[in-house]
């Protein structure tokens, strides 16, 4: 399969390249910058959501699954992007958001049965939203309470309703017919909830990944990760055929096998959240590598940027690790030039505080970083300090380090074995090659 050792580049469309001076990245802008991806040597790119959205969750609140938000361009621009990507040998993945819609999606009014409603006049249980507070809110119009695992503007779909299954299968087919090569599937472990809406018990041990507020106090045995999720995923697979499905399963590695029954890959979150310490990295990598089908990832648009998390002194080693582990690897735009977290925006756009991870790409040293000729929606952080143009012409730059690693990984045999190594180092064999990473 083409994706087995693929390097996939995550594009955050609002912040990649603006082509029309409105200060917001768009599809034509992405098409203009495809040669950057070719130059890096990646195989594919994933676009965070490009569908119409009221932006409560910056695209992850979708109000129409089969259209392009006008801020990003038109369907013709999308078709053109697919053509230009394929002409260059690049595959394109979209972000599929099956767990919830925007509250402004017409389904919420026209097909309320596609959502999860409280059987009582108030929250029927103690489930908490991922962004804080109760996971239940009243619908002002009907007075009934609906479930939202994320913002109240994102009502959860009911995957136990066959209509939801069929509708989402149609969405998958719609985009496959337009030429996409696969999907990153959002919040997969939250697609199906307990049919009886039972209370989550108090957490007995801490969840290993970041959780906001009271959600951390509960063990999500009923509000998430239900065995029936495999039926939902089987339905997505049936629609997707051989297209790549890579799942965002926000759970420890031990929970992944159920999801891999129908998904090709799942992100290796234990690695993403591992402190930069050799023993911790090894503990995260070994079980995930044993599954053979994880997508290695060190950052994305939701968590601290790589340079901020591991520190500038470790960004080269982090790139080496990401790109020499066996299997697919995902790079978040900007990591290849060492972009750190930015200051964000005042007042914040994202109520969960993620603006600082989403500042624009820095293509050149001009004050706008080459991102836009207009007023950027989020300011570039430090284009004179780091940008693609300068790093391309400097042989020892981080960007060229990424390019060399991506080229070199093609030569690595699939064999992989972690070796015992000196303290504060992580060593592994890939056939005849030994990789040693320093991680204090
Ligand atoms: C995960 C996405 O990556 C994140 O940005 C979003 O807020 C949630 N899922 C909800 O869709």
């Amino acid at each position: 399969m083409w994706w087995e050792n693929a390097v996939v580049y995550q594009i955050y469309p609002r912040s990649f390249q603006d082509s029309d001076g409105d200060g917001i990245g768009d599809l034509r802008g992405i098409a203009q910058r495809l040669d950057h991806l070719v130059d890096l040597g990646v195989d594919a790119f994933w676009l965070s959501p490009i569908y119409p959205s009221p932006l409560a969750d910056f695209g992850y609140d979708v109000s129409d699954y089969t259209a392009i938000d006008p801020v990003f361009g038109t369907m013709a621009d999308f078709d053109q992007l697919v053509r230009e990507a394929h002409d260059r040998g690049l595959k394109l993945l979209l972000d599929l958001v099956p767990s919830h819609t925007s509250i402004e999606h017409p389904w919420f009014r026209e097909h309320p049965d596609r959502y999860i409603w409280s059987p009582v006049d108030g929250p029927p249980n103690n489930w908490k939203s991922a962004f804080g507070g109760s996971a239940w809110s009243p619908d002002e119009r009907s007075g009934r309470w609906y479930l939202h695992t994320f913002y109240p503007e994102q009502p959860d779909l009911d995957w136990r309703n066959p209509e939801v299954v069929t509708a989402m299968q149609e969405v998958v087919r719609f985009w496959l017919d337009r030429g996409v090569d696969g999907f990153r599937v959002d919040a997969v472990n939250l697609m199906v909830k307990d049919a009886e809406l039972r209370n989550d018990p108090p957490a007995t041990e801490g969840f290993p990944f970041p959780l906001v507020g009271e959600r951390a106090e509960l063990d999500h045995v009923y509000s998430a990760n239900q065995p029936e999720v495999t039926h939902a995923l089987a339905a997505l697979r049936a629609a997707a055929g051989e297209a790549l499905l890579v799942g965002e399963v926000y759970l420890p590695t031990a929970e992944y096998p159920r999801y891999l029954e129908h998904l090709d890959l799942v992100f290796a979150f234990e690695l993403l959240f591992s402190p930069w310490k050799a023993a911790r990295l090894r503990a995260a990598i070994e079980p995930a590598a044993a599954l053979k089908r994880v997508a290695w990832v060190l950052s994305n648009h939701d968590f601290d940027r790589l340079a901020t998390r591991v520190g500038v002194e470790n960004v080269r080693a982090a790139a080496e690790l990401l790109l020499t582990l066996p299997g697919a690897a995902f790079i978040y735009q900007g990591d290849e030039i060492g972009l750190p977290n930015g200051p964000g925006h005042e007042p914040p756009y994202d109520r969960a505080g993620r603006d600082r991870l989403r500042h624009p790409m820095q293509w050149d040293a001009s004050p706008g970083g080459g991102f836009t000729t207009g007023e950027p929606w989020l300011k570039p952080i430090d284009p004179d300090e780091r940008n693609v143009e300068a790093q391309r012409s400097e042989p020892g730059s981080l960007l060229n380090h990424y390019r060399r690693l991506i080229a070199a990984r093609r030569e690595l045999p699939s064999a992989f074995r972690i070796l015992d190594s000196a303290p504060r180092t992580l060593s592994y064999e890939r056939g005849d090659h030994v990789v040693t990473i320093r991680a204090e």
Side-chain angles (χ1 to χ4, degrees):
M1 289 295 187
W2 68 266
W3 44 262
E4 276 167 22
N5 292 300
V7 180
V8 183
Y9 185 93
Q10 180 189 354
I11 291 181
Y12 195 73
R14 289 181 79 80
S15 301
F16 195 61
Q17 178 64 53
D18 176 23
S19 73
D20 59 9
D22 68 355
I24 299 175
D26 48 45
L27 297 178
R28 288 185 180 204
I30 295 170
Q32 286 167 14
R33 294 292 188 185
L34 284 181
D35 287 336
H36 174 61
L37 274 57
V38 173
D39 188 53
L40 255 181
V42 305
D43 303 281
F45 58 98
W46 148 37
L47 299 179
S48 277
I50 52 172
Y51 321 108
S53 163
L55 299 185
D57 191 7
F58 279 81
Y60 287 92
D61 48 326
V62 179
S63 54
D64 183 348
Y65 286 106
T66 53
I68 303 291
D69 193 303
V71 81
F72 294 130
T74 63
M75 197 56 89
D77 295 333
F78 179 77
D79 291 340
Q80 180 68 17
L81 177 62
V82 173
R83 272 194 298 275
E84 294 204 21
H86 287 166
D87 285 350
R88 289 169 172 78
L90 294 166
K91 311 265 192 208
L92 185 157
L93 309 181
L94 287 184
D95 210 315
L96 185 70
V97 188
S99 188
H100 45 265
T101 68
S102 160
I103 199 156
E104 292 182 32
H105 195 296
W107 292 350
F108 193 66
R109 296 289 159 216
E110 292 166 15
H111 300 281
D113 288 353
R114 295 186 184 178
Y115 296 84
I116 300 178
W117 298 89
S118 168
V120 297
D121 183 17
N125 61 28
N126 65 353
W127 296 357
K128 298 291 182 265
S129 149
F131 295 136
S134 171
W136 298 89
S137 287
D139 167 29
E140 301 300 338
R141 286 207 220 165
S142 65
R144 295 161 73 206
W145 291 65
Y146 63 91
L147 179 66
H148 54 85
T149 304
F150 294 93
Y151 290 123
E153 294 93 330
Q154 293 167 291
D156 281 15
L157 286 165
D158 181 3
W159 273 82
R160 295 175 189 275
N161 178 343
E163 257 183 59
V164 169
V165 178
T166 316
M168 207 57 74
Q169 286 181 313
E170 278 167 20
V171 171
V172 167
R173 290 194 198 99
F174 176 90
W175 292 108
L176 290 177
D177 288 348
R178 299 208 93 91
V180 314
D181 301 286
F183 300 88
R184 174 268 190 187
V185 192
D186 186 71
V188 174
N189 52 308
L190 299 166
M191 283 170 76
V192 180
K193 286 89 178 174
D194 179 45
E196 295 171 42
L197 306 177
R198 279 171 282 188
N199 277 332
D200 277 337
T204 45
E205 47 194 77
F207 188 69
F209 309 153
L211 288 177
V212 173
E214 296 157 297
R215 199 171 157 81
E217 293 163 19
L218 298 175
D219 196 359
H220 312 123
V221 292
Y222 294 119
S223 59
N225 196 23
Q226 298 302 290
E228 299 93 320
V229 74
T230 51
H231 305 318
L233 295 178
L236 288 185
R237 169 55 68 200
E242 299 234 309
L244 172 62
L245 294 179
V246 46
E248 184 208 25
V249 180
Y250 198 66
L251 292 172
T253 306
E255 302 291 336
Y256 290 168
R258 168 188 289 166
Y259 295 87
L260 287 169
E261 280 176 38
H262 299 289
L263 298 174
D264 299 300
L265 297 168
V266 295
F267 289 116
F269 275 113
E270 286 189 20
L271 179 64
L272 192 150
F273 293 117
S274 170
W276 193 252
K277 293 193 181 313
R280 299 287 295 274
L281 291 169
R282 179 175 182 165
I285 291 166
E286 226 161 10
L291 294 175
K292 308 260 188 226
R293 282 198 287 129
V294 292
W296 301 110
V297 60
L298 291 176
S299 74
N300 65 28
H301 62 292
D302 289 329
F303 304 102
D304 278 342
R305 273 193 164 277
L306 183 57
T308 298
R309 197 163 55 78
V310 302
V312 277
E313 66 284 12
N314 292 316
V315 287
R316 282 168 187 265
E320 246 161 80
L321 176 70
L322 178 68
L323 294 164
T324 59
L325 288 173
F330 278 60
I331 299 172
Y332 180 38
Q333 72 174 49
D335 282 354
E336 74 277 31
I337 54 168
L339 208 62
N341 285 1
H345 190 262
E346 243 353 287
Y349 292 113
D350 178 51
R351 280 132 64 196
R354 293 168 296 179
D355 297 337
R356 59 196 207 292
L357 326 169
R358 300 170 177 180
H359 284 266
M361 264 304 275
Q362 300 179 170
W363 299 103
D364 60 40
S366 66
F371 163 66
T372 181
T373 54
E375 190 55 39
W377 75 288
L378 261 181
K379 290 210 181 325
I381 304 168
D382 53 3
D384 52 338
E385 287 260 319
R386 70 197 93 237
N387 64 72
V388 171
E389 191 178 71
Q391 292 200 22
R392 194 178 287 138
S393 57
E394 184 198 321
S397 67
L398 183 61
L399 176 64
N400 281 317
H401 186 56
Y402 269 85
R403 291 178 61 216
R404 279 191 294 270
L405 284 165
I406 293 171
R409 69 186 255 117
R410 314 261 172 241
E411 312 303 322
L412 292 176
S414 59
F416 172 75
R417 191 164 66 94
I418 299 196
L419 306 171
D420 289 327
S421 57
R424 294 183 288 283
T425 64
L426 171 72
S427 283
Y428 45 90
E429 273 176 0
R430 297 288 313 268
D432 296 343
H433 303 257
V434 174
V435 180
T436 299
I437 307 284
R438 288 194 68 81
E440 309 288 328

